[in-house]
Every structure is written in structure tokens, then in C-alpha cells.
Amino acid sequence: MSGCLIIHGFTGGPYEVEPLADHLHQVTDWEIVSPRLPGHGLGENGKELELTKVTYQEWIQTCEQAYLDLKKRHEKIYLIGFSMGGMISAFLAGKYSCEKLVLLSTSRKYISIPRMALDIIGFGQKALQRKLKTDPLFVHYMGKYGSVPIRATLEFLKCMRFTKPYLKKVHCPVFIAQGMQDGLVPYKTVHYLDKEIPGETEIIYYYDSKHLICLGEDKEVVIDGVHRFLMRPTTTKNALSMS
């Protein structure tokens, strides 16, 4: 049996990757682990935060320990990371090793202000249609509004700076999934990831997907793409677009 470590993003929680984790649990015999990063995913709904005192080193250490624990039990390890979790997964793949690496909406470079502005306009349109309260992206933004201290944002930037050099040490097959409508991570970030990773990469741009790529309306397509990649014996370096 193999082990699979799935790491959520900054200010999020395991709920961000839960549909993917549940799917892999159902269709494989792998041990699936999705740890909660310190300060993240608190409360009954798993969306409350307490980020005033945690450091990026604690986030790294939590994921590293989860990896090492899995490695004690399994020869093959698959790594999956969403947003900031993608960079932490790349760090683990570069420092140690893994069978395959999956990067979902990975925050390699910066936040896309223009895309975020378009999302806000979209919120206004959905408010007029009385559909705003059920929009997952709006709920995500509102759940985090005012709850992220500046200190935590600085720790996030430190985490990006610390993990970036390990991209060049990733030699396993890599699947990169990026939403074209992502309001936080611009799709051009994929170019930097692909350029820095020396191993084979498979890239798919999901035209209708936003940042929460595992929770959006087309999440089934994304999850199916990840599953197919993990099950294939080899990958090729190419770029595709999914609508």
C-alpha cells in the first residue's frame, strides 16, 4: 500500500482538499493523510483561524513530520499540495523524494490583484441575482476577512522564499493544475513553476476554475485529472486546456 500526503493552503484547512482526499480514499487502497497546519482550520466548521503566534517553520515541520511518519509505513509516497501547500509539497519532494507530485493553484509568485477585482465585480452581479451567499469563493473571502494578521502574511511570504529553491530539486513526475479564473494566484505562475522544476511536468489549465480548485463547480473534472495522473505509469511534458 502507498501513502498520500495532501496539504491545504494558507488561511485554509483540510476542507479545501477534502473532496479530492475523499475520492482517493474511495478509489485506492492508499493511506490518505491531510494534516491541519498550526493556526489553521479551527472551530466546528474547520474555517476559524488563530494565526497571531504561529510561524512558517511550524507549518513546514508539521508537514515534514507527516511525510516522515508515512514514509515509515509505505515505500511509495504521493504528495499533493494546494496553494501554499503546493510549495510545501515541492519542498518535501525536493528534500526527500516521492513517487509523484501534484501542485494545485500553487502560490509560487504573487497574488493577482486584477483577477481579484473581477471576482468582486462578479460578487455584485450574483448579489443582484440573490445567489451570492451560496457562492463558494465569496464564502471563502468573507470567512477570512479581518482574520489574517499582517504577521501571518509575512510568515506566508517567508514560507514562499524558503520553499522556492527546492523546486529545482524536484525530479519526480509533476502534475500542475491551475484555474484560469483564479483570483489569488495568477495562471502565469505556472510558467515559473514549469521553468524551475527540472523533472517531467504535465500542465492543465482549467478555464472555469477559480482558486478553490477542489471546491468549485467543475471540481469533478479537476479531481478526475489528478486521479488519472496519479494512476498513469509515466507523464509527458506538455500543456493542455480544459473548459
Side-chain angles (χ1 to χ4, degrees), residues 156-214:
F156 163 79
L157 295 175
K158 291 177 184 177
C159 185
M160 296 300 96
R161 185 162 55 246
F162 173 80
T163 54
K164 177 179 174 292
Y166 288 87
L167 290 170
K168 298 183 181 298
K169 301 180 181 181
V170 176
H171 295 283
C172 66
V174 181
F175 178 82
I176 303 175
Q178 178 63 46
M180 295 291 287
Q181 313 303 323
D182 194 327
L184 295 177
V185 177
Y187 67 86
K188 293 181 180 179
T189 296
V190 171
H191 167 74
Y192 298 98
L193 290 170
D194 187 41
K195 184 178 180 180
E196 294 178 61
I197 295 173
E200 293 183 345
T201 58
E202 177 180 340
I203 303 167
I204 296 186
Y205 296 95
Y206 294 90
Y207 184 79
D208 294 323
S209 291
K210 297 185 179 181
H211 188 59
L212 294 172
I213 199 166
C214 291

Side-chain angles (χ1 to χ4, degrees), residues 47-112:
K47 298 182 181 181
E48 296 178 15
L49 306 171
E50 183 50 68
L51 297 170
T52 56
K53 297 181 180 180
V54 295
T55 65
Y56 83 91
Q57 291 99 329
E58 293 178 77
W59 302 334
I60 296 288
Q61 290 167 4
T62 295
C63 297
E64 192 166 10
Q65 188 59 56
Y67 170 91
L68 294 174
D69 289 344
L70 275 176
K71 193 62 178 176
K72 292 177 182 177
R73 298 187 292 273
H74 308 289
E75 182 179 351
K76 292 184 178 180
I77 302 295
Y78 297 89
L79 292 172
I80 301 174
F82 165 71
S83 197
M84 181 181 77
M87 291 301 292
I88 297 177
S89 295
F91 156 75
L92 294 173
K95 181 176 180 179
Y96 300 102
S97 64
C98 67
E99 193 72 11
K100 291 185 179 182
L101 171 65
V102 175
L103 303 177
L104 306 171
S105 306
T106 296
S107 52
R108 153 63 181 83
K109 194 167 175 61
Y110 46 73
I111 292 176
S112 174

